[in-house]
Amino acid sequence: MAPRELPLLSRRQIEDLIAQGRAVFILDQQVIKADAWMPYHPGGDTAIRHMIGRDATDEVTVLHSPEARERMNKYRIGRIEGTWINFVPPIQGGTFRLSTQVDKAKAEVRTSTASSGSSSLDNSRESSPVFDDTPAPQIRQRRTSKTVPLSTSSATSVSSVEEDDGMTFLDTITKEKIDLDLSKYPALDTTTQTNIIAKYRQLNQRIKDDGLYNCNYLSYAPEVFRYTLLFSCMLFFLHRSWYATSGLFLGAFWHQLVFTAHDAGHMGITHNFHIDTVIGIFIADFCGGLSIGWWKRNHNVHHITTNHPEHDPDIQHMPMFAVSHRFLGSLKSTYYGFVMEYDAAARVLLRFQRYTYHFLLLFGRFNLYRLSWQFLASKHAPRKGPAWWHTYLEILGQVVFWTWFGYFLVYKTIPTNWDRFVFVMVSHMVTMPLHLQITLSHFAMSTADLGEHESFAQKMLRTTMDIDCPPWLDFFHGGLQFQAIHHLYPRIPRHNLRHTQKLVQEFCTEVGIPYALYGFVKGNTIVLDTLGEVSQQAAILAKCQKFLSESDDPLHAH
């Protein structure tokens, strides 16, 4: 018997399903309803929520094994024809109405369309002062001789706060950033972006044909030798009571080991979900005290919403850092579920972030402990579905780590509290280059949201930077210097990324997407400039707010 053909679903029908609260997305022209398995998704439900109403074909393809994609077929409920125009997912502020609500509002819509020439039914996003013509509540232009003294130059004039269109200071900067990206990157029209998608998928097939998804296990032989050497040196100097030197080698051991944990987390070693996860748990939890499960949940969202201030947890570091002016507006994180307040502490810390950036990264590992424990104790750690036992294995790994490291190594072996303090601080600070490498690849890149028409490939290349280094230094960067390549194809084994880079550069040239490649020093300089720019914007905003509060016009007071 021939398989039953899936029904053809209209855009209106799909919107109706989403309005009913269904988790629906498009995969290879087929409609997937993910409600049944979303609570059991090993990578967390948040990543799926960011795909609701969207064509998730590229995201699903690069982040999942072919076997996982095949299992998704059992959740097909229909199919579509033609090019799908993405909705804004509910988690990102998209609004959806039931058919009955639409029918009831048709008369009002006709009236609105006749007067304004546009229909609210065509857009699932609420109006924005940046993207939409509908003006925000008007702010009258002040008629006063007062001026705000500026101590720094800025592309955005404070006078923009006074514009009749009601656009705020932060909205003005947002529009400038969007306009800058629109001038640098390919157009967002359907034809251009469809061509980029087609070329991107052809490149993926070429990568497969060249065998670049295949892991050469012999490439890990030097890695294992390096891990063994570093750990042995740690034990040797610990025995000699050279505690600072011993801590240095332990930190170097952790720094190197996490690269393989990253490979395993992306199924880049055996490509088997459970085997690679167990490898990751052994390295991250048993050897390093960090939760690979937390990392997966966090990292999946990061790969989908890269550099989006509201959605990407990897750039949400308030009040310590702000890499976008938008954090000055007290944004709510859709990942953490709370408002990232631009409060008194942020006003002080962000002023100096250009100078505290490298220093604070020295303590990054301590924050990862906190996030790992929070995750394993939370409802987000999987306790059902195929990964249910991973959580309990991770908890065991945490017990083992703090037993061998915290009790036997630090407490029992090192005699004094001062020596223990030195050993712990040195070993943790030595891992700083890892945190630097991760932030370096994104902090300097665009945080602008170009909307739902931008292809996955263009977005990844617009928000991610590669670091140029000689092949003999690859061991130090651990593959993280190829972040742009990695974001395009996360499951490619680390040791194949340099070869893949050449193919991606050809792709970028063909489709006209700028490829960000900088040296290590230049990359750091750009990051510091970005942090400094946000600090300047915060200073200007403070002067604007002070000016408004002192204004004689009651409409502008406070």
Side-chain angles (χ1 to χ4, degrees):
M1 179 182 296
R4 182 178 63 89
E5 185 178 10
L6 294 169
L8 182 64
L9 298 181
S10 68
R11 185 175 180 83
R12 177 63 256 173
Q13 289 174 304
I14 293 173
E15 182 173 359
D16 205 48
L17 288 170
I18 300 173
Q20 296 172 29
R22 306 301 183 193
V24 175
F25 61 84
I26 310 302
L27 177 61
D28 283 331
Q29 298 295 101
Q30 297 173 334
V31 183
I32 307 293
K33 186 162 75 74
D35 301 73
W37 56 272
M38 190 162 65
Y40 310 109
H41 183 230
D45 64 327
T46 307
I48 298 175
R49 295 185 188 281
H50 282 289
M51 289 293 98
I52 293 177
R54 295 175 53 89
D55 185 336
T57 302
D58 290 328
E59 289 86 342
V60 170
T61 298
V62 299
L63 288 169
H64 296 80
S65 66
E67 293 76 18
R69 282 198 58 184
E70 185 65 28
R71 285 195 292 271
M72 293 182 193
N73 288 336
K74 64 188 295 187
Y75 300 99
R76 295 176 298 177
I77 61 170
R79 58 188 174 86
I80 64 167
E81 290 182 349
T83 301
W84 177 256
I85 305 300
N86 290 328
F87 285 117
V88 179
I91 192 174
Q92 296 183 11
T95 55
F96 300 84
R97 289 193 281 181
L98 296 167
S99 298
T100 53
Q101 294 173 310
V102 174
D103 291 340
K104 187 176 180 180
K106 273 185 177 180
E108 299 176 14
V109 171
R110 291 194 190 99
T111 303
S112 174
T113 302
S115 60
S116 66
S118 63
S119 171
S120 62
L121 295 180
D122 296 330
N123 195 347
S124 66
R125 174 173 48 77
E126 296 178 355
S127 63
S128 161
V130 177
F131 293 101
D132 301 314
D133 294 330
T134 305
Q138 295 294 304
I139 300 177
R140 294 183 184 177
Q141 186 171 2
R142 289 188 291 274
R143 289 176 171 81
T144 173
S145 60
K146 278 191 176 182
T147 59
V148 182
L150 297 181
S151 59
T152 180
S153 62
S154 171
T156 303
S157 170
V158 178
S159 64
S160 64
V161 183
E162 304 176 348
E163 292 177 0
D164 284 333
D165 65 358
M167 188 175 294
T168 67
F169 171 65
L170 297 181
D171 284 337
T172 303
I173 302 177
T174 299
K175 187 176 187 306
E176 288 180 349
K177 297 294 185 183
I178 291 172
D179 289 343
L180 178 62
D181 279 3
L182 291 176
S183 68
K184 291 168 56 178
Y185 290 87
L188 299 180
D189 61 275
T190 302
T191 301
T192 301
Q193 293 300 310
T194 300
N195 177 63
I196 291 174
I197 292 171
K199 298 293 185 182
Y200 171 62
R201 294 175 183 176
Q202 290 172 12
L203 175 59
N204 186 45
Q205 187 59 50
R206 182 180 175 185
I207 289 171
K208 287 182 180 178
D209 295 341
D210 288 354
L212 295 177
Y213 275 105
N214 301 328
C215 180
N216 180 3
Y217 298 128
L218 289 178
S219 298
Y220 282 100
E223 309 284 350
V224 173
F225 174 77
R226 191 180 304 119
Y227 305 152
T228 304
L229 178 63
L230 292 171
F231 197 79
S232 299
C233 288
M234 182 273 292
L235 293 176
F236 172 77
F237 287 108
L238 185 68
H239 178 71
R240 297 293 298 270
S241 299
W242 291 21
Y243 300 119
T245 307
S246 178
L248 185 149
F249 280 102
L250 178 58
F253 169 75
W254 282 335
H255 170 261
Q256 287 292 302
L257 203 61
V258 78
F259 299 141
T260 301
H262 182 259
D263 298 343
H266 279 293
M267 294 185 295
I269 302 177
T270 70
H271 302 304
N272 180 284
F273 170 66
H274 290 295
I275 295 176
D276 278 1
T277 300
V278 169
I279 293 173
I281 290 174
F282 174 74
I283 294 173
D285 292 88
F286 283 78
C287 297
L290 306 179
S291 167
I292 194 72
W294 160 78
W295 176 85
K296 280 189 176 185
R297 182 175 186 270
N298 176 286
H299 205 63
N300 285 343
V301 176
H302 163 67
H303 268 267
I304 290 172
T305 64
T306 309
N307 263 27
H308 197 298
E310 288 97 335
H311 311 311
D312 182 2
D314 273 15
I315 64 168
Q316 296 175 348
H317 302 293
M318 292 286 283
M320 302 300 181
F321 302 126
V323 297
S324 169
H325 66 281
R326 299 197 61 207
F327 287 107
L328 307 181
S330 294
L331 298 178
K332 182 176 181 179
S333 167
T334 58
Y335 182 82
Y336 292 109
F338 58 72
V339 175
M340 298 171 286
E341 296 284 355
Y342 180 53
D343 53 16
R347 288 182 175 88
V348 173
L349 294 172
L350 297 188
R351 186 185 307 173
F352 307 103
Q353 64 175 350
R354 180 189 181 106
Y355 309 102
T356 60
Y357 168 62
H358 291 98
F359 175 74
L360 291 177
L361 292 182
L362 291 170
F363 308 96
R365 191 173 184 87
F366 294 105
N367 186 49
L368 298 185
Y369 289 144
R370 177 184 65 84
L371 293 170
S372 296
W373 298 334
Q374 283 183 347
F375 170 78
L376 291 174
S378 74
K379 64 180 181 180
H380 300 300
R383 290 178 172 84
K384 296 179 180 179
W388 69 268
W389 56 276
H390 295 175
T391 299
Y392 298 101
L393 184 59
E394 284 204 78
I395 293 173
L396 174 62
Q398 293 291 317
V399 173
V400 170
F401 171 79
W402 289 106
T403 299
W404 76 260
F405 171 71
Y407 181 71
F408 285 109
L409 202 63
V410 176
Y411 181 72
K412 294 291 288 184
T413 306
I414 302 177
T416 68
N417 286 333
W418 173 250
D419 287 333
R420 291 168 185 151
F421 174 77
V422 170
F423 178 82
V424 169
M425 295 307 296
V426 170
S427 63
H428 285 61
M429 288 181 173
V430 167
T431 64
M432 178 268 207
L434 170 67
H435 310 296
L436 176 61
Q437 185 70 63
I438 294 172
T439 57
L440 190 63
S441 298
H442 298 292
F443 274 20
M445 298 302 289
S446 174
T447 59
D449 180 9
L450 298 189
E452 301 307 305
H453 298 292
E454 185 177 29
S455 62
F456 174 76
Q458 178 169 313
K459 181 179 179 181
M460 293 303 103
L461 289 163
R462 185 173 58 83
T463 57
T464 311
M465 173 202 300
D466 271 2
I467 300 300
D468 193 19
C469 75
W472 64 268
L473 257 183
D474 284 352
F475 82 94
F476 180 78
H477 294 282
L480 298 184
Q481 75 273 34
F482 301 115
Q483 277 289 294
I485 315 300
H486 170 68
H487 267 255
L488 290 174
Y489 302 105
R491 291 185 298 108
I492 291 180
R494 172 183 12 140
H495 304 98
N496 294 339
L497 289 174
R498 182 171 287 277
H499 186 112
T500 308
Q501 184 184 49
K502 299 176 182 178
L503 302 181
V504 171
Q505 288 173 322
E506 294 174 5
F507 161 77
C508 288
T509 300
E510 185 177 4
V511 299
I513 297 178
Y515 172 55
L517 178 65
Y518 299 98
F520 186 76
V521 174
K522 179 64 174 178
N524 273 272
T525 301
I526 297 174
V527 169
L528 294 177
D529 288 345
T530 299
L531 295 173
E533 179 185 15
V534 176
S535 296
Q536 291 178 349
Q537 291 162 346
I540 295 174
L541 179 63
K543 291 176 181 178
C544 291
Q545 292 171 334
K546 181 180 180 181
F547 178 75
L548 290 175
S549 66
E550 294 175 353
S551 173
D552 296 331
D553 189 340
L555 289 176
H556 290 85
H558 310 292

